[in-house]
Amino acid sequence: MNFKLPTLFSAVAIFAFTTNVFAQESPKYSYTEAFKPLFYPQSGTETRSASGQPGHKYWQNSADYQLNVSLDENKNEITGTAEIIYTNNSPDLLSFLWLQLDQNLFAKDSRGNALIPLSGSRNGAKGQDFDGGYRIKSVKYDGKDVKYTVTDTRMQIDLPNDLKANGGVAKLKIEYSFLSPKYGSDRMGIEDTKNGKIFTMAQWYPRMCVYDDILGWNTTPYLGASEFFLEYGTLSANITVPANHYVVASGELLNEKEVYSKEEISRWNQARTSEKTVMIRPESELGKNTKSGTKTWKFKIEKSRDFAWASSTAFILDAARINLPSGKKSLAISAYPVESAGEKAWGRSTEYTKASIEHYSGKWFEYPYPAATNVAGNEGGMEYPGIVFCHMNSKGEGLWGVTDHEFGHTWFPMIVGSNERLFAWMDEGFNTFINELSTEAFNKGEYHRKQNIAQMGAYVLNDSFEPVMVGPDNMKERSIGVLAYFKPGLGLGVLRESVLGPEKFDKAFKTYINRWAYKHPTPWDFFHTIENVSGEELNWFWRGWFMNKWKIDQAVKNVKPVNGDFKNGAQITVENLGQLPMPTTVEVKFKDGTTEVVKLPVEVWKRNTEWTFQIDSTKEVTQVKLDPQSTVPDVNAKNNVWPGN
């Protein structure tokens, strides 16, 4: 999901001038509170090790889907069947199953629509007046009708017999239909263009809820703001659309000879070996496909938690090869209307997609899917395995940013499958963090702007926001951009640059990804992993940055010449005023223009609120400054410098 942050950065500039207010409101620093032990709610278990890795008896259920769906473009109606093979790998007998019916968000009487304020929202049906939500025709278990109950965005199926533990298999078949919203909570919808409608289809089939060792059934309703938590498996889809449509989807196209012309197939084959973008269906060929009737497109994706697709008569299609570290290849694909064409806009989409996937594959974990498709629709930006939807009006830096962000979600949460419904920061925040490194790497930094982290403290750490650990349905909508995206992303950057160092952080972060690829980590699994791999105690950081709203405020309290003369050296006193301690970097400037940098570890603050150290020098000190590289978001910059102005 994409939240536009330019307004956030302008707000940073405003709040930078109000740092004294925030500093004065900060409670006094307590080292016993910051570093108190017993941070973790429990020790290791058989399923989750205290070291942060899956335990020796870790288990996870799976769900495989055979999806058959038809699109009626005149009615905007989806009709389908979902055949689900659900495997219970848990040690528990299951007497019922829970499924997510996310389209029910768009029913007039949904809980999500009831939460829309008078001022409006990006979530829910956004004021559309239509008969949304699933129409369930039948539900069968092992080929027989079964009792089920629909509650808002969830369905409970009562089983005639308990589903066996440790490998029991349930076979479901659900027949359904729904009318697609034009604007589906900024995640899916329908966009009108001069050459036809663009259908971007997501949350379009009943999906199994996760059953895990943390909560059992995860049945938190879909209210619009929070995203998803899904099981992994193999998903196959037969998508029947008007014959003049072109379809792109998650995974691999299985029947290209049935849906593409020989010339188009030849272009696809050229793209698979090309470093440069190859046109598959150029603008000049729009409108030439006038076939009537329908056509079925067949796709398959493995090791996936979801499936999405898009269909239109209006698509220009282009593609290029993606090079992966193992030597394998994938394919970057873009699908967009003529309104989005041009080298300053979607003409560079495939270039952006290719660069993003190649960077993350080399830096963190190899991209697992046969294609990566960027679709121009009416979404601000939304991610699914192997396919993303970005706004058709995006261009230049904006298109790079949203493309890189949505494909960054391949790693969080498509590969590392955290619970987005509860912990949005574990996908949005982690992704925001890796986006910064990707943007710095892209095309020699074409769109990169170095951030002044120090100026952001007064804004991102102010009291008007809820804690990061609060779920997205439990915070003001205006807070989501900061608390799910910006603050956790900034926090990982601070942890990398100012606490652990890039080498130590990257090793720990990469270990976390590898440990939890295609699994379901919790925040505690992440915290444990980073601490165990880095070898550092970080409970003070997790406690202050994620669990609470602690501020960072360090100051230069005093600078004294030893025995009244700088020729004997200088004693410098720094203090920790904010609740959140940090390693302290002190830059000392001398009258002759030279400098000396002193680094104080965070342990200085384990039993002190202020600390005095001595500079052995014969030169006069003219300035002492904390955080000279501006890498720490301190809420009060004025007390970071001596002499103060």
Side-chain angles (χ1 to χ4, degrees):
M1 191 69 170
N2 186 55
F3 266 74
K4 295 182 179 178
L5 292 177
T7 53
L8 186 153
F9 286 107
S10 25
V12 167
I14 295 170
F15 276 89
F17 293 102
T18 62
T19 54
N20 277 335
V21 174
F22 293 113
Q24 291 167 8
E25 292 177 352
S26 299
K28 290 183 178 180
Y29 174 61
S30 168
Y31 51 79
T32 56
E33 179 66 19
F35 288 94
K36 68 181 180 182
L38 304 177
F39 169 72
Y40 291 100
Q42 65 181 32
S43 57
T45 67
E46 290 183 329
T47 55
R48 295 172 192 269
S49 168
S51 68
Q53 60 189 315
H56 66 281
K57 288 189 177 181
Y58 178 83
W59 55 265
Q60 189 170 302
N61 293 352
S62 66
D64 300 322
Y65 297 80
Q66 175 60 59
L67 306 169
N68 299 290
V69 63
S70 297
L71 167 66
D72 185 326
E73 69 171 335
N74 295 318
K75 295 181 180 180
N76 297 338
E77 185 176 32
I78 295 292
T79 303
T81 62
E83 298 178 44
I84 307 171
I85 298 177
Y86 179 71
T87 304
N88 177 26
N89 294 314
S90 83
D92 305 326
L93 296 173
L94 301 179
S95 59
F96 52 82
L97 306 176
W98 279 101
L99 288 84
Q100 301 182 42
L101 302 181
D102 295 316
Q103 279 298 318
N104 284 359
L105 174 68
F106 306 113
K108 291 182 179 180
D109 61 350
S110 75
R111 297 184 189 182
N113 272 332
L115 299 177
I116 302 299
L118 293 176
S119 56
S121 169
R122 72 187 297 178
N123 300 310
K126 204 176 182 181
Q128 299 165 82
D129 186 15
F130 76 111
D131 191 16
Y134 280 110
R135 301 293 180 267
I136 304 296
K137 182 179 179 181
S138 69
V139 178
K140 296 183 183 297
Y141 177 79
D142 286 343
K144 297 179 180 179
D145 290 334
V146 67
K147 180 184 176 181
Y148 66 93
T149 304
V150 174
T151 306
D152 197 53
T153 59
R154 286 106 7 115
M155 171 194 284
Q156 186 182 47
I157 298 176
D158 293 320
L159 303 182
N161 300 293
D162 287 347
L163 181 60
K164 292 181 180 180
N166 302 314
V169 175
K171 296 181 179 180
L172 302 173
K173 183 176 182 180
I174 303 172
E175 296 180 281
Y176 64 93
S177 65
F178 66 87
L179 296 179
S180 174
K182 285 272 191 176
Y183 180 88
S185 205
D186 207 17
R187 305 187 193 282
M188 49 88 68
I190 306 168
E191 178 69 19
D192 293 311
T193 75
K194 67 174 63 177
N195 291 303
K197 299 175 182 176
I198 295 176
F199 293 85
T200 43
M201 292 291 105
Q203 293 83 60
W204 58 278
Y205 60 96
R207 302 181 295 179
M208 295 299 305
C209 292
V210 171
Y211 185 82
D212 65 15
D213 60 314
I214 304 298
L215 293 175
W217 285 110
N218 287 258
T219 57
T220 305
Y222 178 43
L223 302 176
S226 61
E227 293 184 313
F228 311 107
F229 190 32
L230 302 164
E231 297 288 17
Y232 288 92
T234 297
L235 296 92
S236 300
N238 297 325
I239 304 168
T240 301
V241 298
N244 62 346
H245 275 226
Y246 285 77
V247 176
V248 289
S250 297
E252 180 180 10
L253 177 64
L254 302 178
N255 65 331
E256 66 174 13
K257 292 182 179 179
E258 298 174 16
V259 294
Y260 284 115
S261 68
K262 289 183 178 180
E263 186 175 8
E264 287 168 337
I265 292 173
S266 176
R267 294 168 183 165
W268 279 117
N269 291 333
Q270 181 185 350
R272 288 187 178 94
T273 62
S274 176
E275 290 291 309
K276 300 294 184 181
T277 300
V278 174
M279 296 303 302
I280 310 299
R281 189 191 184 212
E283 180 181 342
S284 60
E285 295 181 8
L286 295 180
K288 290 185 177 181
N289 181 354
T290 58
K291 293 179 181 178
S292 59
T294 62
K295 184 183 291 186
T296 299
W297 300 65
K298 299 178 181 180
F299 292 87
K300 181 179 180 180
I301 187 168
E302 298 177 335
K303 299 179 76 172
S304 178
R305 44 170 264 161
D306 203 0
F307 189 104
W309 55 280
S311 181
S312 183
T313 60
F315 281 150
I316 295 171
L317 296 169
D318 64 43
R321 181 181 68 193
I322 296 172
N323 302 302
L324 301 175
S326 68
K328 294 180 180 179
K329 310 298 178 186
S330 185
L331 194 63
I333 302 169
S334 296
Y336 51 94
V338 64
E339 291 92 332
S340 304
E343 282 304 302
K344 293 184 178 180
W346 278 74
R348 292 187 71 184
S349 167
T350 291
E351 174 195 352
Y352 296 158
T353 299
K354 171 181 166 64
S356 181
I357 298 294
E358 288 180 349
H359 170 81
Y360 296 129
S361 294
K363 180 73 175 173
W364 304 117
F365 189 94
E366 184 163 296
Y367 184 75
Y369 304 123
T373 303
N374 197 7
V375 181
N378 63 8
E379 300 80 10
M382 189 60 203
E383 71 279 359
Y384 302 98
I387 188 170
V388 303
F389 305 152
C390 298
H391 203 280
M392 61 179 288
N393 294 337
S394 295
K395 58 182 63 176
E397 182 179 357
L399 181 58
W400 158 259
V402 68
T403 299
D404 185 52
H405 180 81
E406 303 314 332
F407 278 117
H409 275 303
T410 301
W411 285 264
F412 309 101
M414 304 308 162
I415 293 174
V416 182
S418 58
N419 187 342
E420 300 176 273
R421 193 65 55 87
L422 299 181
F423 307 113
W425 62 272
M426 292 186 73
D427 72 294
E428 299 294 359
F430 289 9
N431 189 23
T432 299
F433 163 70
I434 64 174
N435 295 160
E436 176 69 15
L437 301 179
S438 177
T439 299
E440 184 178 7
F442 173 66
N443 200 24
K444 300 179 180 179
E446 178 180 355
Y447 298 127
H448 183 253
R449 295 185 180 91
K450 184 174 177 59
Q451 301 181 48
N452 187 319
I453 305 300
Q455 291 183 354
M456 300 176 184
Y459 179 67
V460 79
L461 300 179
N462 85 75
D463 285 328
S464 67
F465 296 119
E466 302 88 345
V468 168
M469 195 65 88
V470 170
D473 290 328
N474 195 207
M475 62 179 64
K476 296 292 186 183
E477 189 173 340
R478 64 176 179 268
S479 300
I480 293 175
V482 173
L483 298 179
Y485 295 70
F486 187 65
K487 185 177 179 180
L490 179 67
L492 292 192
V494 171
L495 192 62
R496 182 179 192 260
E497 302 299 330
S498 299
V499 180
L500 297 180
E503 183 177 356
K504 187 179 289 188
F505 177 90
D506 289 359
K507 179 181 180 181
F509 198 59
K510 191 171 182 178
T511 300
Y512 168 71
I513 296 172
N514 278 272
R515 283 179 172 181
W516 291 98
Y518 313 110
K519 296 181 177 69
H520 296 315
T522 68
W524 313 110
D525 298 317
F526 171 70
F527 296 155
H528 275 304
T529 294
I530 300 301
E531 288 194 13
N532 273 259
V533 178
S534 70
E536 300 293 342
E537 175 192 12
L538 297 170
N539 63 70
W540 55 273
F541 188 78
W542 312 133
R543 196 177 268 126
W545 196 270
F546 293 97
M547 311 295 291
N548 296 290
K549 302 188 292 182
W550 291 358
K551 295 179 176 64
I552 299 170
D553 183 13
Q554 297 187 342
V556 182
K557 184 176 183 179
N558 201 5
V559 178
K560 290 182 178 181
V562 175
N563 296 325
D565 193 336
F566 280 119
K567 291 182 179 180
N568 301 317
Q571 290 186 347
I572 299 170
T573 301
V574 294
E575 55 185 343
N576 198 87
L577 301 173
Q579 297 153 288
L580 179 56
M582 287 291 293
T584 307
T585 301
V586 186
E587 180 186 71
V588 182
K589 288 188 177 181
F590 300 102
K591 190 173 183 179
D592 65 359
T594 60
T595 61
E596 182 175 340
V597 174
V598 177
K599 292 183 178 292
L600 304 176
V602 74
E603 284 80 3
V604 162
W605 307 115
K606 290 196 77 169
R607 56 187 177 191
N608 302 286
T609 58
E610 62 179 54
W611 184 254
T612 301
F613 63 94
Q614 183 165 317
I615 295 288
D616 293 322
S617 171
T618 60
K619 296 178 286 188
E620 182 179 346
V621 176
T622 57
Q623 185 187 76
V624 175
K625 183 178 182 180
L626 304 185
D627 186 30
Q629 299 301 315
S630 299
T631 60
V632 176
D634 192 301
V635 299
N636 185 2
K638 291 184 178 180
N639 62 16
N640 287 10
V641 182
W642 175 94
N645 295 320

